[in-house]
């Protein structure tokens, strides 16, 4: 299976991950979820694996710009609905390796996960 990197093309961290993958000879697909969206089942899977607290990017400007009412009482269901409505609130990047996913980019974690 070819890994798929999910993110937003103009995100610096996504760019770093793409450069790292290419530089390490890892052929991969890229899915820009700002342009192509994200399906509920996939997002629910990421939340089930990593927790909504990890998958929801609360440090970004999109989340910070939300009305306070949308930020109150966050749980997995509410976080998923917010991320589906505004995919730029999904932590970036998410690397789907088929048998597992990695959220965020750290070269040492990518190296350990992709090592032969």
């Amino acid at each position: 299976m070819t890994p798929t990197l999910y993110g937003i093309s103009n995100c610096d961290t996504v760019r770093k991950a793409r450069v790292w993958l290419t530089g390490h000879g890892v052929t991969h697909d890229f899915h820009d979820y700002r342009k192509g969206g994200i399906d509920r089942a996939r997002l629910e899977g990421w939340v089930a694996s990593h927790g909504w607290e990890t998958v929801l990017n609360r440090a970004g400007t999109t989340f910070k710009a939300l009305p306070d009412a949308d930020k109150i009482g966050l749980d997995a269901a509410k976080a998923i609905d917010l991320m589906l409505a505004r995919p730029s609130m999904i932590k970036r990047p998410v690397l789907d390796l088929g048998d597992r996913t990695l959220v965020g980019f750290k070269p040492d974690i990518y190296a350990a996960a992709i090592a032969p």
Side-chain angles (χ1 to χ4, degrees):
M1 177 199 162
T2 301
T4 300
L5 189 72
Y6 292 86
I8 296 172
S9 58
N10 65 347
C11 172
D12 288 339
T13 307
V14 170
R15 283 191 203 122
K16 289 175 187 176
R18 292 177 83 179
V19 166
W20 188 95
L21 290 167
T22 301
H24 287 81
V26 179
T27 302
H28 62 283
D29 295 324
F30 177 69
H31 178 87
D32 186 327
Y33 45 64
R34 180 181 285 162
K35 294 177 184 172
I38 193 73
D39 63 277
R40 179 177 287 276
R42 185 174 316 278
L43 186 55
E44 287 174 346
W46 296 347
V47 168
S49 294
H50 302 282
W52 69 267
E53 298 90 342
T54 298
V55 179
L56 178 65
N57 180 11
R58 290 177 280 177
T61 56
T62 304
F63 182 82
K64 289 179 180 178
L66 286 175
D68 288 339
D70 288 343
K71 298 175 190 177
I72 295 171
L74 277 175
D75 60 12
K78 188 171 181 179
I80 288 168
D81 287 341
L82 286 172
M83 291 183 279
L84 286 170
R86 298 170 190 87
S88 58
M89 281 197 282
I90 302 170
K91 175 91 174 184
R92 308 180 284 274
V94 176
L95 180 62
D96 184 346
L97 296 169
D99 61 340
R100 67 194 179 286
T101 55
L102 305 176
V103 178
F105 172 65
K106 292 198 170 143
D108 55 332
I109 292 173
Y110 272 42
I114 296 172

